[in-house]
Amino acid sequence: MKNFEVLGLSQPLLDGLADMGFENPTEIQQQSIPILLKHDGDFIGLAQTGTGKTAAFGLPLLDLIDVNSREVQALILAPTRELAQQICGQMEQMSKHLGKLNVVPVFGGANIMNQIRDIRRGAQIIVATPGRLMDLMKRREVKLDALKYMVLDEADEMLNMGFKEDIDFILSKSDTGRNIWLFSATMAREIKRIVDTYMVQPEEVRINPKNIVNKNIEHQSIQLKASDKIEALRRFLDYDQDMFGVVFCRTKRDTQNVADQLNNNGYATEALHGDMSQAQRDAAMKRFRNKNLKLLIATDVAARGIDVDDITHVIHFALPDDPEFYTHRSGRTARAGKKGVSIALITRGDNRKLKFIASKLGIEFTQGEVPALEAITQKRIARWSDNMIKQEINEKIGEDLLTAVQESFADVTKEELIAKLLTKEYNSIYKRNSISDLNDRSKGRDRDDSPRRERGKRTSRGTEEGMKTYFINLGLKDDINKGALLGYVCDTTGISGAQIGRIVMDKTHSYMDVAEDVAPQILTLDGKQRNGHDLRVNEHKGVVKEPARERGGRGGRSGGGFKGRRDSNGGGGYKGRSNSGGSSHRGRRSDSDNSGSGNRNSRRRSDSSSGGNDSGGNRGGFKGRKW
Ligand code: AMP
């Protein structure tokens, strides 16, 4: 294999690469760098993300820039803020030994005046998202008289994200003899149009997608019921304490639902999707990068281009339609020579799609397994006993206290004591998980034996048959969302999640359907206080009007309530939750009660993230969890 020396790069860059631990160039780097260093013209690089494109254009660019000039000589356009920041970071690392070089990132959602100040200080290279760059060009803050290179990174993605006009504006206003280096995963029609309109006889390097499928990724598929997917995620997390992964969902609503359900059960996860503000997304990414989260639950668009080290697992909560998306997703793991697993959670109906993806990408899916409860138990008990043996004795515990406790245990033998301690740990594992084997290998009927209550027909008032509707004077303004309300009602009345149906929530109040046989229990809330707020609960016999604007599926239950729950194992999930009882559970619940509906997770995490950098996210709610 070639090393970087033979590609014609200067010594300071080779030193920078050595510091970064880059030993051998990737295929796109091998092929592109010599061309870009010598060829004074346009260039097209067709390669997927994760193939080392940043260094493929970044290294030659750094060698071609005149560090003694303070003028803008290169512009790099990237689809997202995250990617722009990553590119900047990598350029800075690579140019560490190169002398005075200013690489300035500019992107939307951040203070433009600070960016203008950075540019005015003299930026030789600007890394930008298209919208913000266009804005800065219109304000005449970016002068392009000395521009020599214009790099379009992930050009197909920028067009997919609706930056067509911005890119046209930037390219047409910067036509001062600069070279365009365009990188894209595909040569889609719109890309072809850009090439034909703005580029002159470009040199082309194409990395065949079949060759770039990362050999270090193990592709697995697991067939299971849709309603068991959340439980499967919980089991993975329970089994593998080193798990650090990204779960991909198809919609923003699904990401929020999955994150909410896992969070509600005490797992350190967070959603990442386009309905979150930039600040929320940044905060979530920071916590993920710092490994304060075990799983990031993301949409394809939000997670595009994310480069976080050491991701062990990519989980496809639902398969994408487009094989290319599968490549983008699974490319988050096994980066920089490491190994990783990509797990597709499929239902029986997905088998054809899985075969299509496999054949398009030339990969093979092996059959994976959701860890069985016995395996989780064995592993966790082994960890538990290991930790117990290693536990240092706190010298501050007074002699008196120690003697008193020893005396109260006088009649308990060592064997009994171990058995008692073990029982506690064992019970807690079984409370968290359902007993059933989730791996569904049935070829015949669609097995669905989950402990969910069958949903009945609705009455003319919209209430489910066999249920009554109750008014509760708690709404979105009380910093509660549907999931938190459900949890609160379950915890305080003893009604299980499976006995609760539709929840309709408005600003000031909510309606909740409750199974007739346990319905009166909800009235025990009437007259009680929650966070200083006097509760009023009564039966509602009228029609329930849905509020005009639903809050984007952030609640534990989405839209009409039933659908979200069916899809996302709400029934099973809440059953597990209310079973788990105990003080730590309650602690968690009140956590979510106190948080707002819109940005519940982010806010809760940021409140607690100051509590330390324990890799398991060992914040208040997670006390006692070993990871
Ligand atoms: P990219 O496609 O540029 O986002 O790069 C994907 C990942 O591979 C990043 O984490 C880079 O830091 C890493 N990487 C790129 N080139 C190399 C190389 N030649 N050797 C080792 N790691 C690399």
Side-chain angles (χ1 to χ4, degrees):
M1 190 184 275
K2 282 186 185 172
N3 59 22
F4 280 105
E5 271 85 25
V6 300
L7 299 181
L9 295 165
S10 66
Q11 194 56 45
L13 286 185
L14 294 175
D15 293 344
L17 288 170
D19 289 352
M20 292 166 76
F22 285 17
E23 287 171 5
N24 300 303
T26 64
E27 201 175 338
I28 183 88
Q29 291 162 3
Q30 268 181 49
Q31 294 199 37
S32 309
I33 293 172
I35 297 177
L36 292 173
L37 282 175
K38 289 207 189 87
H39 168 73
D40 185 16
D42 294 336
F43 175 87
I44 299 174
L46 292 173
Q48 312 279 345
T49 49
T51 51
K53 275 186 291 137
T54 315
F57 64 75
L59 290 166
L61 201 58
L62 290 168
D63 255 349
L64 292 165
I65 292 289
D66 176 4
V67 286
N68 297 315
S69 158
R70 310 288 285 170
E71 289 177 299
V72 179
Q73 298 162 56
L75 276 176
I76 302 172
L77 286 184
T80 62
R81 169 192 179 129
E82 284 83 9
L83 196 54
Q85 284 171 317
Q86 269 171 38
I87 294 171
C88 251
Q90 199 169 325
M91 299 290 279
E92 273 162 12
Q93 279 184 302
M94 292 189 299
S95 63
K96 199 172 125 199
H97 300 281
L98 209 57
K100 277 196 187 154
L101 190 83
N102 275 342
V103 186
V104 171
V106 299
F107 39 73
N111 187 320
I112 196 163
M113 293 319 292
N114 292 345
Q115 295 176 350
I116 290 175
R117 200 191 52 220
D118 290 345
I119 294 169
R120 285 183 186 166
R121 278 192 194 139
Q124 289 110 330
I125 301 176
I126 294 179
V127 188
T129 51
R132 178 54 60 98
L133 179 66
M134 187 170 75
D135 195 350
L136 289 164
M137 284 170 71
K138 285 182 178 164
R139 293 175 186 228
R140 301 188 189 284
E141 289 294 346
V142 181
K143 302 204 175 45
L144 300 177
D145 314 331
L147 188 74
K148 291 199 193 108
Y149 305 98
M150 165 81 76
V151 182
L152 305 181
D153 191 18
E154 304 224 1
D156 51 346
E157 195 50 34
M158 286 196 279
L159 294 169
N160 284 344
M161 290 173 74
F163 286 128
K164 178 171 173 290
E165 270 96 45
D166 311 39
I167 289 173
D168 273 325
F169 175 90
I170 294 165
L171 289 175
S172 58
K173 297 280 179 211
S174 61
D175 193 4
T176 51
R178 43 63 190 133
N179 295 336
I180 298 177
W181 300 354
L182 179 146
F183 286 83
S184 173
T186 60
M187 191 39 111
R189 219 181 46 223
E190 261 303 307
I191 300 284
K192 188 101 188 31
R193 184 189 66 81
I194 289 192
V195 173
D196 293 343
T197 315
Y198 300 104
M199 295 170 75
V200 185
Q201 295 181 332
E203 286 258 0
E204 186 177 310
V205 162
R206 186 186 289 258
I207 306 297
N208 184 349
K210 288 224 166 165
N211 299 337
I212 66 99
V213 169
N214 187 333
K215 298 271 184 312
N216 288 330
I217 302 176
E218 183 191 338
H219 300 273
Q220 294 182 1
S221 70
I222 302 179
Q223 185 176 310
L224 73 184
K225 289 176 288 179
S227 57
D228 279 342
K229 288 186 181 182
I230 297 274
E231 173 84 9
L233 293 179
R234 295 174 55 176
R235 293 222 185 154
F236 287 131
L237 288 164
D238 279 342
Y239 183 75
D240 184 355
Q241 68 169 353
D242 296 324
M243 187 171 203
F244 179 56
V246 186
V247 177
F248 283 94
C249 299
R250 287 163 70 101
T251 65
K252 296 169 194 168
R253 202 177 76 177
D254 288 347
T255 57
Q256 195 64 49
N257 276 339
V258 172
D260 281 351
Q261 292 199 51
L262 290 172
N263 277 323
N264 288 341
N265 286 286
Y267 297 89
T269 68
E270 210 159 313
L272 186 79
H273 56 69
D275 277 356
M276 293 159 70
S277 70
Q278 190 63 56
Q280 286 175 323
R281 275 160 57 182
D282 282 352
M285 275 310 298
K286 189 166 170 212
R287 283 187 283 275
F288 186 58
R289 256 180 234 289
N290 290 343
K291 303 211 163 69
N292 286 330
L293 302 177
K294 287 269 136 187
L295 290 180
L296 187 71
I297 322 289
T299 56
D300 287 288
V301 173
R304 183 54 69 91
I306 284 176
D307 182 14
V308 174
D309 289 339
D310 304 326
I311 290 177
T312 58
H313 289 75
V314 166
I315 299 178
H316 310 262
F317 198 79
L319 274 179
D321 292 325
D322 186 343
E324 209 183 291
F325 275 55
Y326 183 89
T327 309
H328 276 293
R329 288 174 172 195
S330 51
R332 301 305 105 218
T333 185
R335 290 170 84 83
K338 305 218 172 80
K339 291 211 180 305
V341 189
S342 171
I343 303 176
L345 299 182
I346 57 165
T347 53
R348 267 194 312 125
D350 290 331
N351 273 313
R352 193 176 295 162
K353 201 193 266 182
L354 191 78
K355 278 201 188 117
F356 174 67
I357 290 175
S359 83
K360 271 273 171 205
L361 301 177
I363 55 177
E364 217 174 286
F365 285 92
T366 55
Q367 188 180 299
E369 296 257 320
V370 179
L373 201 46
E374 298 74 42
I376 295 173
T377 310
Q378 260 186 18
K379 220 172 167 175
R380 287 195 47 159
I381 296 288
R383 265 196 321 258
W384 168 84
S385 47
D386 230 37
N387 287 341
M388 189 68 97
I389 291 162
K390 282 193 205 133
Q391 175 63 51
E392 305 245 339
I393 292 169
N394 188 343
E395 302 296 339
K396 286 190 195 137
I397 297 176
E399 198 62 32
D400 291 353
L401 179 61
L402 198 59
T403 315
V405 176
Q406 275 168 352
E407 272 169 17
S408 64
F409 277 87
D411 294 336
V412 185
T413 66
K414 178 182 164 190
E415 286 69 29
E416 279 169 343
L417 188 58
I418 290 174
K420 281 174 195 284
L421 288 170
L422 180 60
T423 302
K424 278 205 88 158
E425 183 65 13
Y426 184 91
N427 287 350
S428 85
I429 297 170
Y430 275 78
K431 264 182 193 160
R432 291 179 71 89
N433 296 280
S434 75
I435 310 282
S436 58
D437 176 12
L438 304 189
N439 302 294
D440 174 11
R441 292 177 205 91
S442 65
K443 296 274 176 287
R445 71 208 161 89
D446 198 0
R447 215 158 43 91
D448 191 351
D449 51 5
S450 62
R452 275 187 284 105
R453 191 176 49 79
E454 273 305 308
R455 296 282 162 206
K457 288 191 198 129
R458 308 279 194 100
T459 66
S460 56
R461 289 186 289 115
T463 311
E464 198 178 323
E465 273 178 8
M467 289 204 160
K468 287 181 172 178
T469 302
Y470 287 85
F471 164 93
I472 307 170
N473 65 338
L474 276 176
L476 295 166
K477 73 161 183 33
D478 301 301
D479 255 3
I480 195 164
N481 65 10
K482 290 180 188 178
L485 178 65
L486 175 70
Y488 176 72
V489 170
C490 290
D491 281 357
T492 46
T493 65
I495 299 173
S496 82
Q499 292 165 312
I500 292 175
R502 171 187 60 168
I503 299 174
V504 175
M505 185 169 257
D506 213 329
K507 271 204 193 110
T508 53
H509 59 273
S510 307
Y511 296 97
M512 184 179 266
D513 288 357
V514 184
E516 267 168 8
D517 46 339
V518 291
Q521 280 171 245
I522 197 169
L523 293 173
T524 56
L525 283 179
D526 191 44
K528 283 220 170 98
Q529 278 210 334
R530 176 188 172 274
N531 295 346
H533 177 88
D534 288 324
L535 295 183
R536 206 154 45 77
V537 180
N538 51 51
E539 194 181 342
H540 177 81
K541 298 214 165 126
V543 175
V544 173
K545 267 213 214 131
E546 296 276 343
R549 191 172 58 89
E550 274 284 345
R551 289 218 161 183
R554 296 278 176 96
R557 316 178 150 209
S558 49
F562 298 122
K563 188 162 167 279
R565 200 162 70 167
R566 250 184 209 295
D567 289 346
S568 51
N569 194 27
Y574 287 118
K575 184 163 174 286
R577 209 171 58 186
S578 34
N579 280 350
S580 64
S583 57
S584 66
H585 163 60
R586 247 169 229 128
R588 277 199 305 269
R589 169 70 47 245
S590 58
D591 235 349
S592 56
D593 281 350
N594 289 334
S595 51
S597 67
N599 56 1
R600 192 161 66 87
N601 295 325
S602 307
R603 189 139 32 110
R604 180 145 52 103
R605 294 285 178 272
S606 54
D607 287 343
S608 53
S609 60
S610 56
N613 263 357
D614 187 306
S615 70
N618 197 3
R619 59 204 166 75
F622 293 115
K623 272 199 194 112
R625 280 192 61 83
K626 289 194 211 81
W627 42 261

